[in-house]
Coordinates of all heavy atoms in Angstrom, one line a residue:
M1 N -10.7 -4.8 5.8 CA -9.3 -4.9 5.4 C -8.5 -4.2 6.5 O -8.8 -3.1 7.0 CB -9.1 -4.2 4.0 CG -7.8 -4.6 3.5 SD -7.7 -4.6 1.7 CE -7.2 -3.0 1.4
K2 N -7.4 -4.8 6.8 CA -6.5 -4.3 7.9 C -5.7 -3.1 7.5 O -5.4 -2.2 8.3 CB -5.5 -5.4 8.3 CG -6.3 -6.5 9.1 CD -5.3 -7.5 9.6 CE -6.0 -8.6 10.4 NZ -5.1 -9.6 10.9
I3 N -5.4 -2.9 6.2 CA -4.6 -1.8 5.8 C -5.5 -0.7 5.2 O -6.4 -1.0 4.4 CB -3.5 -2.3 4.8 CG1 -2.6 -3.3 5.5 CG2 -2.7 -1.1 4.2 CD1 -1.6 -4.0 4.6
K4 N -5.2 0.5 5.6 CA -6.0 1.6 5.1 C -5.1 2.6 4.4 O -3.9 2.7 4.6 CB -6.7 2.3 6.3 CG -7.8 1.4 6.9 CD -8.3 2.2 8.1 CE -9.4 1.3 8.8 NZ -9.5 1.7 10.2
K5 N -5.8 3.5 3.7 CA -5.1 4.6 3.1 C -4.3 5.5 4.1 O -4.9 5.7 5.2 CB -6.1 5.5 2.4 CG -5.6 6.7 1.6 CD -6.7 7.5 1.0 CE -6.1 8.8 0.5 NZ -7.1 9.7 0.0
G6 N -3.1 5.8 3.8 CA -2.3 6.6 4.7 C -1.4 5.8 5.7 O -0.5 6.3 6.3
D7 N -1.6 4.5 5.7 CA -0.7 3.6 6.5 C 0.6 3.5 5.9 O 0.8 3.6 4.6 CB -1.3 2.2 6.6 CG -2.5 2.1 7.5 OD1 -2.7 3.0 8.4 OD2 -3.2 1.1 7.4
T8 N 1.6 3.3 6.7 CA 3.0 3.0 6.1 C 3.2 1.5 6.1 O 2.9 0.9 7.1 CB 4.0 3.7 7.0 OG1 3.8 5.1 7.1 CG2 5.4 3.6 6.4
V9 N 3.6 1.0 5.0 CA 3.8 -0.4 4.9 C 5.2 -0.7 4.4 O 5.9 0.1 3.8 CB 2.8 -1.1 3.9 CG1 1.4 -1.0 4.5 CG2 2.8 -0.4 2.6
L10 N 5.6 -2.0 4.7 CA 6.9 -2.5 4.3 C 6.6 -3.6 3.3 O 5.7 -4.5 3.5 CB 7.6 -3.1 5.5 CG 8.9 -3.9 5.2 CD1 10.0 -3.1 4.8 CD2 9.2 -4.8 6.4
I11 N 7.2 -3.5 2.1 CA 7.0 -4.6 1.1 C 7.9 -5.8 1.5 O 9.1 -5.6 1.7 CB 7.3 -4.0 -0.3 CG1 6.3 -2.9 -0.6 CG2 7.2 -5.2 -1.3 CD1 6.5 -2.3 -2.0
I12 N 7.4 -7.0 1.6 CA 8.2 -8.1 2.0 C 8.5 -9.1 0.9 O 9.2 -10.0 1.1 CB 7.4 -8.9 3.1 CG1 6.0 -9.2 2.8 CG2 7.5 -8.0 4.4 CD1 5.3 -10.1 3.8
T13 N 8.0 -8.8 -0.3 CA 8.3 -9.7 -1.4 C 8.3 -8.9 -2.7 O 7.7 -7.8 -2.8 CB 7.3 -10.9 -1.5 OG1 7.7 -11.7 -2.5 CG2 5.9 -10.4 -1.7
G14 N 9.0 -9.4 -3.8 CA 9.0 -8.8 -5.1 C 10.1 -7.9 -5.2 O 11.1 -7.8 -4.5
K15 N 10.1 -7.1 -6.3 CA 11.3 -6.3 -6.7 C 11.5 -5.1 -5.8 O 12.6 -4.5 -5.7 CB 11.2 -5.8 -8.2 CG 10.1 -4.8 -8.4 CD 10.1 -4.4 -9.9 CE 8.9 -3.6 -10.3 NZ 9.1 -2.2 -10.1
D16 N 10.5 -4.7 -5.1 CA 10.6 -3.5 -4.1 C 10.7 -4.1 -2.7 O 10.4 -3.3 -1.7 CB 9.4 -2.6 -4.3 CG 9.6 -1.7 -5.5 OD1 10.8 -1.4 -5.8 OD2 8.6 -1.3 -6.1
K17 N 11.1 -5.3 -2.5 CA 11.2 -5.9 -1.2 C 12.1 -5.0 -0.3 O 13.2 -4.6 -0.7 CB 11.8 -7.3 -1.4 CG 12.0 -8.1 -0.1 CD 12.6 -9.4 -0.5 CE 12.9 -10.2 0.8 NZ 13.6 -11.5 0.5
G18 N 11.7 -4.9 0.9 CA 12.4 -4.1 1.9 C 12.2 -2.6 1.9 O 12.7 -1.9 2.7
K19 N 11.4 -2.1 0.9 CA 11.1 -0.7 0.9 C 9.8 -0.4 1.6 O 8.9 -1.2 1.7 CB 10.9 -0.3 -0.6 CG 12.2 -0.2 -1.4 CD 12.0 0.3 -2.8 CE 13.3 0.2 -3.6 NZ 13.0 0.4 -5.0
T20 N 9.8 0.8 2.1 CA 8.6 1.2 2.8 C 7.9 2.4 2.1 O 8.6 3.2 1.4 CB 8.9 1.6 4.2 OG1 9.8 2.7 4.2 CG2 9.4 0.5 5.1
G21 N 6.6 2.4 2.2 CA 5.9 3.5 1.5 C 4.6 3.7 2.1 O 4.1 3.0 3.0
K22 N 3.9 4.8 1.7 CA 2.6 5.1 2.2 C 1.5 4.6 1.3 O 1.7 4.7 0.1 CB 2.6 6.7 2.3 CG 1.7 7.2 3.4 CD 1.9 8.7 3.5 CE 0.9 9.2 4.5 NZ 0.8 10.7 4.5
V23 N 0.5 4.1 1.9 CA -0.6 3.6 1.1 C -1.4 4.8 0.5 O -1.9 5.6 1.2 CB -1.5 2.7 2.0 CG1 -2.7 2.2 1.1 CG2 -0.8 1.5 2.5
A24 N -1.4 4.8 -0.9 CA -2.1 5.8 -1.6 C -3.6 5.5 -1.7 O -4.4 6.4 -1.7 CB -1.5 6.1 -2.9
R25 N -3.9 4.2 -1.9 CA -5.3 3.8 -2.1 C -5.4 2.4 -1.6 O -4.5 1.5 -1.8 CB -5.6 3.9 -3.6 CG -6.7 4.8 -3.9 CD -7.0 4.8 -5.4 NE -8.2 4.1 -5.7 CZ -8.5 3.7 -6.9 NH1 -7.8 4.1 -7.9 NH2 -9.6 3.1 -7.2
A26 N -6.5 2.1 -1.0 CA -6.8 0.7 -0.6 C -7.9 0.2 -1.5 O -8.8 0.9 -1.8 CB -7.2 0.7 0.9
L27 N -7.7 -1.0 -2.0 CA -8.7 -1.7 -2.8 C -9.2 -2.9 -2.1 O -8.8 -4.0 -2.4 CB -8.1 -2.0 -4.2 CG -7.3 -0.9 -4.9 CD1 -6.4 -1.5 -6.0 CD2 -8.2 0.1 -5.5
P28 N -10.2 -2.7 -1.2 CA -10.6 -3.8 -0.3 C -11.2 -5.0 -1.1 O -11.1 -6.2 -0.7 CB -11.7 -3.2 0.6 CG -11.5 -1.7 0.5 CD -10.9 -1.5 -0.9
K29 N -11.9 -4.7 -2.2 CA -12.5 -5.8 -3.0 C -11.5 -6.8 -3.5 O -11.7 -8.0 -3.6 CB -13.3 -5.2 -4.2 CG -14.7 -4.9 -3.8 CD -15.5 -4.5 -5.0 CE -16.8 -3.8 -4.6 NZ -17.3 -3.0 -5.7
E30 N -10.3 -6.3 -3.9 CA -9.3 -7.1 -4.5 C -8.2 -7.5 -3.4 O -7.3 -8.2 -3.7 CB -8.6 -6.4 -5.6 CG -9.6 -6.1 -6.8 CD -9.3 -4.8 -7.5 OE1 -8.2 -4.8 -8.2 OE2 -10.0 -3.9 -7.3
A31 N -8.4 -7.0 -2.2 CA -7.4 -7.1 -1.1 C -6.0 -6.6 -1.6 O -5.0 -7.3 -1.4 CB -7.3 -8.6 -0.7
K32 N -6.1 -5.5 -2.3 CA -4.9 -4.9 -2.8 C -4.7 -3.5 -2.4 O -5.7 -2.8 -2.0 CB -4.8 -5.0 -4.3 CG -4.5 -6.4 -4.8 CD -4.5 -6.5 -6.3 CE -4.0 -7.9 -6.7 NZ -4.1 -8.1 -8.1
I33 N -3.5 -3.0 -2.5 CA -3.3 -1.6 -2.2 C -2.4 -0.9 -3.2 O -1.6 -1.6 -3.9 CB -2.6 -1.4 -0.8 CG1 -1.4 -2.3 -0.6 CG2 -3.6 -1.6 0.4 CD1 -0.4 -2.0 0.5
L34 N -2.4 0.4 -3.3 CA -1.5 1.1 -4.1 C -0.6 1.9 -3.2 O -1.0 2.5 -2.3 CB -2.2 2.1 -5.0 CG -3.0 1.5 -6.2 CD1 -3.9 2.6 -6.9 CD2 -2.1 1.0 -7.2
I35 N 0.7 1.8 -3.5 CA 1.7 2.5 -2.6 C 2.3 3.6 -3.3 O 2.8 3.4 -4.5 CB 2.8 1.5 -2.1 CG1 2.1 0.3 -1.4 CG2 3.7 2.2 -1.0 CD1 3.0 -0.8 -1.1
E36 N 2.4 4.8 -2.8 CA 3.0 6.0 -3.4 C 4.4 5.7 -3.9 O 5.3 5.4 -3.1 CB 3.0 7.1 -2.4 CG 1.7 7.9 -2.3 CD 1.8 8.9 -1.2 OE1 2.9 9.3 -0.8 OE2 0.7 9.3 -0.8
G37 N 4.6 5.8 -5.1 CA 6.0 5.7 -5.7 C 6.6 4.3 -5.7 O 7.8 4.2 -6.0
L38 N 5.9 3.3 -5.3 CA 6.4 1.9 -5.3 C 5.6 1.0 -6.1 O 4.5 1.2 -6.5 CB 6.5 1.5 -3.8 CG 7.5 2.1 -2.9 CD1 7.4 1.5 -1.6 CD2 8.9 1.9 -3.5
N39 N 6.3 -0.2 -6.4 CA 5.7 -1.2 -7.3 C 5.3 -0.5 -8.6 O 4.2 -0.8 -9.1 CB 4.6 -1.9 -6.6 CG 4.2 -3.2 -7.3 OD1 5.2 -3.9 -7.6 ND2 3.0 -3.5 -7.4
L40 N 6.1 0.3 -9.2 CA 5.8 1.1 -10.4 C 5.8 0.2 -11.6 O 6.6 -0.8 -11.7 CB 6.8 2.2 -10.6 CG 6.8 3.3 -9.5 CD1 7.9 4.3 -9.7 CD2 5.4 4.0 -9.4
K41 N 4.9 0.5 -12.5 CA 4.8 -0.3 -13.7 C 4.8 0.8 -14.8 O 4.2 1.8 -14.7 CB 3.4 -1.0 -13.7 CG 3.5 -2.4 -14.2 CD 2.1 -3.0 -14.1 CE 2.1 -4.3 -14.7 NZ 0.8 -5.0 -14.5
K42 N 5.5 0.5 -15.9 CA 5.6 1.4 -17.0 C 4.3 1.2 -17.8 O 3.9 0.2 -18.1 CB 6.8 1.0 -17.9 CG 8.1 1.6 -17.3 CD 9.1 1.8 -18.3 CE 10.4 2.5 -17.7 NZ 11.5 1.7 -17.6
K43 N 3.8 2.4 -18.2 CA 2.6 2.4 -19.0 C 2.8 3.3 -20.2 O 3.3 4.4 -20.0 CB 1.4 2.9 -18.1 CG 0.1 2.5 -18.8 CD -1.0 3.1 -18.0 CE -2.3 2.9 -18.8 NZ -3.5 3.5 -18.1
H44 N 2.5 2.7 -21.3 CA 2.7 3.5 -22.5 C 1.4 4.3 -22.9 O 0.4 3.7 -22.9 CB 3.1 2.6 -23.7 CG 3.6 3.4 -24.8 ND1 4.9 3.9 -24.9 CD2 3.1 3.6 -26.0 CE1 5.0 4.5 -26.0 NE2 4.0 4.4 -26.8
I45 N 1.6 5.5 -23.0 CA 0.4 6.3 -23.4 C 0.5 6.7 -24.9 O 1.5 7.1 -25.4 CB 0.3 7.6 -22.6 CG1 0.2 7.3 -21.1 CG2 -0.8 8.5 -23.0 CD1 0.2 8.5 -20.2
R46 N -0.6 6.4 -25.6 CA -0.6 6.7 -27.0 C -0.6 8.2 -27.3 O -1.2 8.9 -26.5 CB -1.9 6.0 -27.6 CG -1.8 4.6 -27.8 CD -3.3 4.1 -28.1 NE -3.2 2.6 -28.2 CZ -3.0 2.0 -29.4 NH1 -2.8 2.7 -30.5 NH2 -3.0 0.7 -29.5
P47 N 0.0 8.5 -28.4 CA -0.1 10.0 -28.7 C -1.5 10.4 -29.0 O -2.2 9.7 -29.6 CB 0.8 10.1 -29.9 CG 0.9 8.7 -30.5 CD 0.7 7.7 -29.4
K48 N -1.8 11.6 -28.6 CA -3.1 12.1 -28.8 C -3.3 12.6 -30.2 O -4.4 12.5 -30.8 CB -3.4 13.3 -27.8 CG -3.7 12.8 -26.4 CD -4.3 13.9 -25.6 CE -4.5 13.4 -24.1 NZ -3.5 14.0 -23.2
Q49 N -2.2 13.0 -30.8 CA -2.3 13.5 -32.2 C -1.3 12.6 -33.0 O -0.3 12.2 -32.6 CB -1.8 14.9 -32.3 CG -2.8 15.9 -31.7 CD -2.2 17.3 -31.6 OE1 -1.1 17.5 -31.2 NE2 -2.9 18.3 -32.1
E50 N -1.7 12.5 -34.2 CA -0.9 11.7 -35.1 C 0.4 12.4 -35.4 O 0.5 13.6 -35.5 CB -1.6 11.5 -36.5 CG -1.8 10.0 -36.8 CD -2.6 9.8 -38.0 OE1 -3.8 9.9 -38.0 OE2 -1.9 9.5 -39.0
G51 N 1.5 11.6 -35.6 CA 2.8 12.2 -35.8 C 3.6 12.6 -34.6 O 4.7 12.9 -34.6
K52 N 2.9 12.5 -33.4 CA 3.6 12.9 -32.2 C 4.0 11.6 -31.5 O 3.4 10.5 -31.6 CB 2.7 13.7 -31.3 CG 2.6 15.1 -31.7 CD 2.1 16.0 -30.6 CE 2.3 17.5 -31.0 NZ 1.7 18.4 -30.0
K53 N 4.9 11.7 -30.6 CA 5.4 10.5 -29.9 C 4.5 10.2 -28.7 O 4.0 11.1 -28.0 CB 6.8 10.8 -29.4 CG 7.9 10.4 -30.4 CD 9.2 10.4 -29.6 CE 10.4 10.0 -30.6 NZ 11.6 10.1 -29.9
G54 N 4.4 9.0 -28.4 CA 3.7 8.5 -27.2 C 4.6 8.7 -26.0 O 5.8 9.0 -26.1
Q55 N 4.0 8.6 -24.8 CA 4.8 8.8 -23.6 C 4.8 7.5 -22.8 O 3.9 6.7 -22.8 CB 4.2 9.9 -22.8 CG 4.7 11.3 -23.1 CD 4.1 12.2 -22.1 OE1 2.9 12.3 -22.0 NE2 4.9 13.0 -21.5
T56 N 5.9 7.3 -22.0 CA 5.9 6.3 -21.1 C 5.9 6.9 -19.7 O 6.7 7.7 -19.4 CB 7.1 5.4 -21.3 OG1 7.2 5.0 -22.6 CG2 7.1 4.2 -20.4
V57 N 4.9 6.5 -18.9 CA 4.8 7.0 -17.6 C 4.9 5.8 -16.6 O 4.5 4.7 -17.0 CB 3.6 7.8 -17.3 CG1 3.5 9.1 -18.0 CG2 2.3 7.0 -17.6
E58 N 5.3 6.1 -15.4 CA 5.3 5.0 -14.4 C 4.2 5.2 -13.4 O 4.1 6.3 -12.8 CB 6.7 5.0 -13.7 CG 7.8 4.4 -14.6 CD 9.1 4.1 -13.8 OE1 9.4 5.0 -13.0 OE2 9.6 3.1 -14.0
I59 N 3.4 4.2 -13.3 CA 2.3 4.3 -12.3 C 2.4 3.2 -11.3 O 2.8 2.1 -11.7 CB 0.9 4.3 -13.1 CG1 0.8 3.1 -14.0 CG2 0.7 5.6 -13.8 CD1 -0.6 2.8 -14.3
P60 N 1.9 3.4 -10.1 CA 2.0 2.3 -9.1 C 0.9 1.3 -9.5 O -0.2 1.6 -9.8 CB 1.5 3.0 -7.8 CG 1.6 4.5 -8.1 CD 1.4 4.7 -9.5
A61 N 1.4 0.0 -9.5 CA 0.5 -1.1 -9.7 C 0.0 -1.6 -8.4 O 0.7 -1.6 -7.4 CB 1.3 -2.2 -10.5
P62 N -1.3 -2.1 -8.4 CA -1.8 -2.6 -7.1 C -1.0 -3.8 -6.6 O -0.5 -4.7 -7.4 CB -3.2 -3.1 -7.5 CG -3.5 -2.4 -8.8 CD -2.2 -2.2 -9.5
L63 N -0.8 -3.9 -5.4 CA 0.0 -4.9 -4.7 C -0.9 -5.6 -3.7 O -1.6 -5.0 -3.0 CB 1.2 -4.2 -4.0 CG 2.4 -5.1 -3.6 CD1 3.1 -5.6 -4.8 CD2 3.3 -4.3 -2.7
S64 N -0.8 -7.0 -3.7 CA -1.6 -7.7 -2.8 C -1.2 -7.4 -1.3 O 0.0 -7.3 -1.0 CB -1.4 -9.2 -3.1 OG -2.0 -10.0 -2.0
I65 N -2.2 -7.3 -0.4 CA -1.8 -7.0 0.9 C -1.0 -8.1 1.6 O -0.4 -7.9 2.6 CB -3.1 -6.6 1.8 CG1 -4.1 -7.7 1.7 CG2 -3.7 -5.3 1.4 CD1 -5.1 -7.6 2.9
S66 N -1.0 -9.3 1.0 CA -0.2 -10.4 1.6 C 1.3 -10.1 1.4 O 2.1 -10.8 1.9 CB -0.7 -11.7 1.1 OG -0.6 -11.8 -0.3
N67 N 1.6 -9.2 0.5 CA 3.0 -8.9 0.2 C 3.5 -7.8 1.0 O 4.7 -7.4 0.8 CB 3.1 -8.6 -1.3 CG 2.8 -9.7 -2.2 OD1 2.8 -10.9 -1.8 ND2 2.5 -9.5 -3.5
V68 N 2.8 -7.2 1.9 CA 3.2 -6.1 2.7 C 3.0 -6.4 4.2 O 2.1 -7.2 4.5 CB 2.6 -4.8 2.3 CG1 2.8 -4.5 0.9 CG2 1.1 -4.8 2.6
K69 N 3.7 -5.7 5.0 CA 3.5 -5.7 6.4 C 3.3 -4.2 6.9 O 3.9 -3.3 6.4 CB 4.7 -6.2 7.2 CG 4.6 -7.7 7.5 CD 5.7 -8.1 8.4 CE 5.3 -9.3 9.2 NZ 6.4 -9.7 10.1
I70 N 2.4 -4.0 7.8 CA 2.2 -2.7 8.2 C 3.3 -2.2 9.2 O 3.8 -3.0 10.0 CB 0.7 -2.6 8.8 CG1 0.3 -1.1 9.0 CG2 0.6 -3.3 10.1 CD1 -1.2 -0.9 9.1
I71 N 3.6 -1.0 9.1 CA 4.6 -0.4 10.1 C 3.8 0.3 11.1 O 3.0 1.2 10.8 CB 5.6 0.6 9.4 CG1 6.2 0.0 8.1 CG2 6.6 1.2 10.4 CD1 7.6 -0.7 8.3
C72 N 4.0 0.0 12.3 CA 3.3 0.6 13.4 C 3.8 2.0 13.6 O 5.0 2.3 13.6 CB 3.6 -0.3 14.7 SG 3.0 0.5 16.2
S73 N 2.8 2.9 13.7 CA 3.2 4.3 13.9 C 3.7 4.6 15.3 O 4.3 5.7 15.5 CB 2.0 5.2 13.5 OG 0.9 4.8 14.3
K74 N 3.5 3.7 16.2 CA 3.9 3.9 17.6 C 5.3 3.4 17.8 O 6.2 4.0 18.4 CB 2.9 3.3 18.5 CG 1.5 3.9 18.4 CD 1.4 5.2 19.2 CE 0.2 6.1 19.0 NZ -1.0 5.5 18.4
C75 N 5.5 2.1 17.4 CA 6.9 1.5 17.7 C 7.8 1.5 16.5 O 9.0 1.2 16.6 CB 6.7 0.1 18.4 SG 6.0 -1.1 17.3
G76 N 7.2 1.8 15.3 CA 8.1 1.8 14.1 C 8.5 0.6 13.5 O 9.4 0.5 12.7
K77 N 7.9 -0.5 14.0 CA 8.3 -1.8 13.5 C 7.3 -2.4 12.6 O 6.1 -2.0 12.7 CB 8.5 -2.8 14.7 CG 9.8 -2.4 15.5 CD 10.0 -3.4 16.6 CE 11.2 -3.0 17.4 NZ 10.9 -2.9 18.9
A78 N 7.7 -3.4 11.7 CA 6.8 -4.0 10.9 C 6.1 -5.1 11.8 O 6.7 -5.9 12.3 CB 7.5 -4.7 9.7
V79 N 4.8 -4.9 11.9 CA 4.1 -5.7 12.8 C 2.8 -6.4 12.3 O 2.4 -6.1 11.2 CB 3.6 -4.8 14.1 CG1 4.8 -4.3 14.8 CG2 2.8 -3.7 13.6
R80 N 2.2 -7.2 13.1 CA 0.9 -7.8 12.8 C -0.2 -6.9 13.5 O 0.1 -6.4 14.5 CB 0.8 -9.2 13.2 CG 1.8 -10.1 12.5 CD 1.1 -11.3 12.0 NE 0.3 -11.9 13.0 CZ 0.5 -13.2 13.5 NH1 1.5 -13.9 12.9 NH2 -0.2 -13.7 14.4
I81 N -1.3 -6.9 12.9 CA -2.4 -6.1 13.4 C -3.4 -6.9 14.2 O -3.7 -8.0 13.7 CB -3.1 -5.3 12.3 CG1 -2.1 -4.4 11.6 CG2 -4.3 -4.6 12.7 CD1 -1.8 -3.2 12.3
G82 N -3.9 -6.5 15.3 CA -5.0 -7.1 16.0 C -6.1 -6.1 16.1 O -6.0 -5.0 15.7
Y83 N -7.2 -6.6 16.6 CA -8.3 -5.7 16.8 C -8.8 -5.7 18.2 O -8.7 -6.7 18.9 CB -9.5 -6.1 15.9 CG -9.3 -5.8 14.5 CD1 -9.0 -6.8 13.6 CD2 -9.6 -4.5 14.0 CE1 -8.8 -6.5 12.2 CE2 -9.4 -4.2 12.7 CZ -9.0 -5.2 11.8 OH -8.8 -4.9 10.5
K84 N -9.3 -4.6 18.6 CA -9.8 -4.5 20.0 C -11.2 -3.7 19.8 O -11.3 -2.9 18.9 CB -8.9 -3.7 20.9 CG -7.9 -4.6 21.6 CD -7.2 -3.9 22.7 CE -6.3 -4.8 23.4 NZ -5.4 -4.1 24.4
V85 N -12.1 -4.0 20.7 CA -13.3 -3.3 20.7 C -13.4 -2.4 21.9 O -13.2 -2.8 23.0 CB -14.5 -4.3 20.7 CG1 -15.8 -3.5 20.6 CG2 -14.4 -5.2 19.5
G86 N -13.6 -1.1 21.6 CA -13.7 -0.1 22.7 C -15.1 0.6 22.6 O -16.0 0.1 21.9
S87 N -15.3 1.6 23.4 CA -16.5 2.3 23.4 C -16.9 3.0 22.0 O -18.0 3.1 21.7 CB -16.5 3.4 24.5 OG -15.4 4.2 24.4
S88 N -15.8 3.3 21.3 CA -16.0 4.0 20.0 C -16.1 2.9 18.8 O -16.0 3.3 17.7 CB -15.0 5.0 19.7 OG -13.7 4.4 19.8
G89 N -16.1 1.7 19.2 CA -16.2 0.6 18.1 C -14.9 -0.1 18.0 O -14.0 -0.1 19.0
K90 N -14.7 -0.8 16.9 CA -13.5 -1.7 16.7 C -12.3 -0.8 16.3 O -12.5 0.1 15.5 CB -13.9 -2.7 15.6 CG -13.2 -4.0 15.7 CD -13.9 -5.0 14.9 CE -13.3 -5.2 13.6 NZ -13.8 -6.4 12.8
F91 N -11.2 -1.0 16.9 CA -10.0 -0.4 16.4 C -8.8 -1.3 16.3 O -8.9 -2.4 16.8 CB -9.7 0.9 17.3 CG -9.5 0.5 18.8 CD1 -8.2 0.3 19.2 CD2 -10.5 0.5 19.7 CE1 -8.0 0.0 20.6 CE2 -10.3 0.2 21.0 CZ -9.0 -0.1 21.5
R92 N -7.9 -0.8 15.6 CA -6.7 -1.7 15.3 C -5.6 -1.5 16.3 O -5.3 -0.3 16.7 CB -6.1 -1.3 13.9 CG -7.1 -1.5 12.8 CD -6.5 -1.2 11.4 NE -5.9 0.1 11.4 CZ -5.1 0.6 10.4 NH1 -4.9 -0.2 9.4 NH2 -4.6 1.8 10.5
V93 N -5.0 -2.5 16.7 CA -3.9 -2.4 17.6 C -2.7 -3.2 17.1 O -2.8 -4.1 16.3 CB -4.2 -3.0 19.0 CG1 -5.2 -2.1 19.8 CG2 -4.6 -4.4 19.0
C94 N -1.5 -2.6 17.4 CA -0.2 -3.3 17.1 C 0.0 -4.5 18.0 O -0.2 -4.3 19.2 CB 0.9 -2.2 17.3 SG 2.5 -2.9 17.3
K95 N 0.3 -5.6 17.4 CA 0.5 -6.8 18.3 C 1.7 -6.8 19.0 O 1.9 -7.6 20.0 CB 0.4 -8.1 17.4 CG -1.1 -8.4 17.1 CD -1.2 -9.9 16.7 CE -2.7 -10.2 16.5 NZ -2.9 -11.5 15.9
K96 N 2.6 -5.9 18.7 CA 3.9 -5.8 19.4 C 3.8 -4.9 20.6 O 4.2 -5.2 21.7 CB 5.0 -5.3 18.5 CG 6.3 -6.2 18.6 CD 7.2 -6.0 17.4 CE 7.7 -7.4 17.0 NZ 8.3 -7.4 15.7
C97 N 3.4 -3.6 20.4 CA 3.4 -2.6 21.5 C 2.0 -2.5 22.1 O 1.9 -1.7 23.0 CB 4.0 -1.3 21.0 SG 3.1 -0.5 19.8
L98 N 1.0 -3.1 21.4 CA -0.3 -3.1 21.9 C -1.0 -1.7 21.9 O -2.0 -1.5 22.6 CB -0.5 -3.7 23.3 CG 0.1 -5.2 23.4 CD1 0.0 -5.7 24.8 CD2 -0.7 -6.1 22.5
Q99 N -0.4 -0.8 21.1 CA -1.0 0.6 21.0 C -2.0 0.6 19.8 O -1.8 -0.2 18.9 CB 0.1 1.6 20.7 CG 1.2 1.7 21.8 CD 0.7 2.6 22.9 OE1 0.1 3.6 22.8 NE2 1.0 2.1 24.2
E100 N -2.9 1.5 19.9 CA -3.8 1.7 18.8 C -3.1 2.3 17.6 O -2.3 3.2 17.8 CB -5.0 2.6 19.3 CG -6.0 2.7 18.2 CD -7.1 3.7 18.6 OE1 -7.2 4.1 19.8 OE2 -7.9 4.0 17.8
I101 N -3.3 1.8 16.5 CA -2.7 2.4 15.3 C -3.8 2.6 14.2 O -4.9 2.0 14.3 CB -1.5 1.6 14.7 CG1 -1.9 0.2 14.4 CG2 -0.3 1.7 15.6 CD1 -0.8 -0.6 13.7
Ligands
LIG1 ZN1 3.7 -1.0 17.7

């Protein structure tokens, strides 16, 4: 998967379109990511004890990686990722500035 935990991404579709955030978790099996504080979904938590009120919390919902673009840490633009192979193995490069990211 091209996107990893800690990457900064730009959301290109949906209700958080145009927002950027940091990847909190990558879910390679589903080709999805969780972004800190974005794509929030309300979740109702049942009360633990009877007679008490439940709570509603907002948690980030997984977002398909096809809905985001990675922000290059070198040139700061939303870019496509390419791969290069060096002495230390395969690494990611920004297709715009050609720097390793
Ligand atoms: Zn770049």
Side-chain angles (χ1 to χ4, degrees):
M1 196 152 93
K2 287 180 179 181
I3 297 173
K4 290 178 184 156
K5 184 184 169 184
D7 284 342
T8 304
V9 292
L10 169 75
I11 299 180
I12 51 171
T13 182
K15 71 181 170 87
D16 283 328
K17 186 179 171 181
K19 289 184 185 170
T20 58
K22 214 172 171 191
V23 177
R25 241 180 105 191
L27 309 162
K29 271 186 197 161
E30 298 143 72
K32 284 179 176 175
I33 50 164
L34 287 171
I35 307 168
E36 275 175 22
L38 288 178
N39 199 40
L40 296 176
K41 223 178 175 177
K42 281 204 174 109
K43 194 184 176 185
H44 193 74
I45 297 177
R46 283 166 182 272
K48 286 195 182 107
Q49 290 171 310
E50 240 179 281
K52 283 201 173 172
K53 270 192 180 175
Q55 269 185 309
T56 306
V57 291
E58 286 192 316
I59 54 157
L63 195 69
S64 169
I65 55 163
S66 60
N67 293 341
V68 302
K69 264 189 152 182
I70 193 159
I71 307 266
C72 172
S73 56
K74 299 281 172 11
C75 65
K77 289 181 181 129
V79 294
R80 295 228 312 239
I81 297 290
Y83 285 102
K84 271 191 178 173
V85 182
S87 51
S88 57
K90 210 160 97 171
F91 59 92
R92 303 183 304 172
V93 291
C94 163
K95 282 202 171 169
K96 225 163 226 169
C97 66
L98 305 173
Q99 298 281 317
E100 183 182 351
I101 54 172

